[in-house]
PDB file of all heavy atoms in Angstrom:
ATOM      1  N   ALA U  25     -14.841 -12.852  29.811  1.00 96.00           N
ATOM      2  CA  ALA U  25     -13.648 -13.315  30.517  1.00 96.00           C
ATOM      3  C   ALA U  25     -12.658 -12.149  30.553  1.00 96.00           C
ATOM      4  O   ALA U  25     -12.182 -11.702  29.511  1.00 96.00           O
ATOM      5  CB  ALA U  25     -13.038 -14.514  29.809  1.00 96.00           C
ATOM      6  N   MET U  26     -12.348 -11.659  31.748  1.00 96.00           N
ATOM      7  CA  MET U  26     -11.525 -10.460  31.895  1.00 96.00           C
ATOM      8  C   MET U  26     -10.210 -10.826  32.588  1.00 96.00           C
ATOM      9  O   MET U  26     -10.168 -11.082  33.790  1.00 96.00           O
ATOM     10  CB  MET U  26     -12.284  -9.394  32.671  1.00 96.00           C
ATOM     11  CG  MET U  26     -13.610  -9.002  32.012  1.00 96.00           C
ATOM     12  SD  MET U  26     -14.500  -7.693  32.875  1.00 96.00           S
ATOM     13  CE  MET U  26     -13.441  -6.280  32.536  1.00 96.00           C
ATOM     14  N   SER U  27      -9.139 -10.839  31.805  1.00 92.00           N
ATOM     15  CA  SER U  27      -7.827 -11.236  32.325  1.00 92.00           C
ATOM     16  C   SER U  27      -7.140 -10.121  33.087  1.00 92.00           C
ATOM     17  O   SER U  27      -6.204 -10.357  33.851  1.00 92.00           O
ATOM     18  CB  SER U  27      -6.930 -11.672  31.171  1.00 92.00           C
ATOM     19  OG  SER U  27      -6.627 -10.561  30.342  1.00 92.00           O
ATOM     20  N   GLY U  28      -7.598  -8.887  32.869  1.00 92.00           N
ATOM     21  CA  GLY U  28      -6.917  -7.739  33.454  1.00 92.00           C
ATOM     22  C   GLY U  28      -6.089  -6.989  32.434  1.00 92.00           C
ATOM     23  O   GLY U  28      -5.471  -5.974  32.746  1.00 92.00           O
ATOM     24  N   GLY U  29      -6.077  -7.457  31.190  1.00 93.00           N
ATOM     25  CA  GLY U  29      -5.335  -6.806  30.126  1.00 93.00           C
ATOM     26  C   GLY U  29      -6.212  -5.915  29.277  1.00 93.00           C
ATOM     27  O   GLY U  29      -7.439  -5.859  29.436  1.00 93.00           O
ATOM     28  N   VAL U  30      -5.587  -5.236  28.335  1.00 96.00           N
ATOM     29  CA  VAL U  30      -6.310  -4.282  27.498  1.00 96.00           C
ATOM     30  C   VAL U  30      -7.280  -4.987  26.552  1.00 96.00           C
ATOM     31  O   VAL U  30      -8.389  -4.481  26.298  1.00 96.00           O
ATOM     32  CB  VAL U  30      -5.311  -3.398  26.717  1.00 96.00           C
ATOM     33  CG1 VAL U  30      -4.431  -4.240  25.788  1.00 96.00           C
ATOM     34  CG2 VAL U  30      -6.036  -2.317  25.927  1.00 96.00           C
ATOM     35  N   ASP U  31      -6.922  -6.149  26.027  1.00 96.00           N
ATOM     36  CA  ASP U  31      -7.773  -6.821  25.047  1.00 96.00           C
ATOM     37  C   ASP U  31      -9.111  -7.249  25.642  1.00 96.00           C
ATOM     38  O   ASP U  31     -10.171  -6.980  25.073  1.00 96.00           O
ATOM     39  CB  ASP U  31      -7.041  -8.033  24.465  1.00 96.00           C
ATOM     40  CG  ASP U  31      -5.801  -7.642  23.678  1.00 96.00           C
ATOM     41  OD1 ASP U  31      -5.809  -6.560  23.061  1.00 96.00           O
ATOM     42  OD2 ASP U  31      -4.826  -8.408  23.689  1.00 96.00           O
ATOM     43  N   SER U  32      -9.063  -7.912  26.784  1.00 96.00           N
ATOM     44  CA  SER U  32     -10.312  -8.381  27.387  1.00 96.00           C
ATOM     45  C   SER U  32     -11.151  -7.214  27.895  1.00 96.00           C
ATOM     46  O   SER U  32     -12.384  -7.300  27.936  1.00 96.00           O
ATOM     47  CB  SER U  32     -10.028  -9.378  28.512  1.00 96.00           C
ATOM     48  OG  SER U  32      -9.257  -8.797  29.536  1.00 96.00           O
ATOM     49  N   ALA U  33     -10.499  -6.112  28.258  1.00 97.00           N
ATOM     50  CA  ALA U  33     -11.236  -4.932  28.710  1.00 97.00           C
ATOM     51  C   ALA U  33     -12.068  -4.353  27.566  1.00 97.00           C
ATOM     52  O   ALA U  33     -13.271  -4.073  27.728  1.00 97.00           O
ATOM     53  CB  ALA U  33     -10.261  -3.882  29.245  1.00 97.00           C
ATOM     54  N   VAL U  34     -11.455  -4.190  26.404  1.00 98.00           N
ATOM     55  CA  VAL U  34     -12.176  -3.645  25.254  1.00 98.00           C
ATOM     56  C   VAL U  34     -13.222  -4.638  24.766  1.00 98.00           C
ATOM     57  O   VAL U  34     -14.324  -4.251  24.354  1.00 98.00           O
ATOM     58  CB  VAL U  34     -11.191  -3.277  24.129  1.00 98.00           C
ATOM     59  CG1 VAL U  34     -11.949  -2.867  22.864  1.00 98.00           C
ATOM     60  CG2 VAL U  34     -10.273  -2.144  24.580  1.00 98.00           C
ATOM     61  N   ALA U  35     -12.917  -5.939  24.837  1.00 98.00           N
ATOM     62  CA  ALA U  35     -13.904  -6.950  24.426  1.00 98.00           C
ATOM     63  C   ALA U  35     -15.164  -6.850  25.282  1.00 98.00           C
ATOM     64  O   ALA U  35     -16.287  -6.892  24.759  1.00 98.00           O
ATOM     65  CB  ALA U  35     -13.295  -8.348  24.541  1.00 98.00           C
ATOM     66  N   ALA U  36     -14.996  -6.699  26.595  1.00 98.00           N
ATOM     67  CA  ALA U  36     -16.156  -6.567  27.489  1.00 98.00           C
ATOM     68  C   ALA U  36     -16.945  -5.304  27.162  1.00 98.00           C
ATOM     69  O   ALA U  36     -18.186  -5.321  27.118  1.00 98.00           O
ATOM     70  CB  ALA U  36     -15.687  -6.547  28.938  1.00 98.00           C
ATOM     71  N   ALA U  37     -16.227  -4.210  26.911  1.00 98.00           N
ATOM     72  CA  ALA U  37     -16.895  -2.956  26.593  1.00 98.00           C
ATOM     73  C   ALA U  37     -17.687  -3.057  25.289  1.00 98.00           C
ATOM     74  O   ALA U  37     -18.812  -2.549  25.194  1.00 98.00           O
ATOM     75  CB  ALA U  37     -15.858  -1.837  26.490  1.00 98.00           C
TER      76      ALA U  37
END
Side-chain angles (χ1 to χ4, degrees):
M26 302 182 70
S27 67
V30 61
D31 296 327
S32 60
V34 173

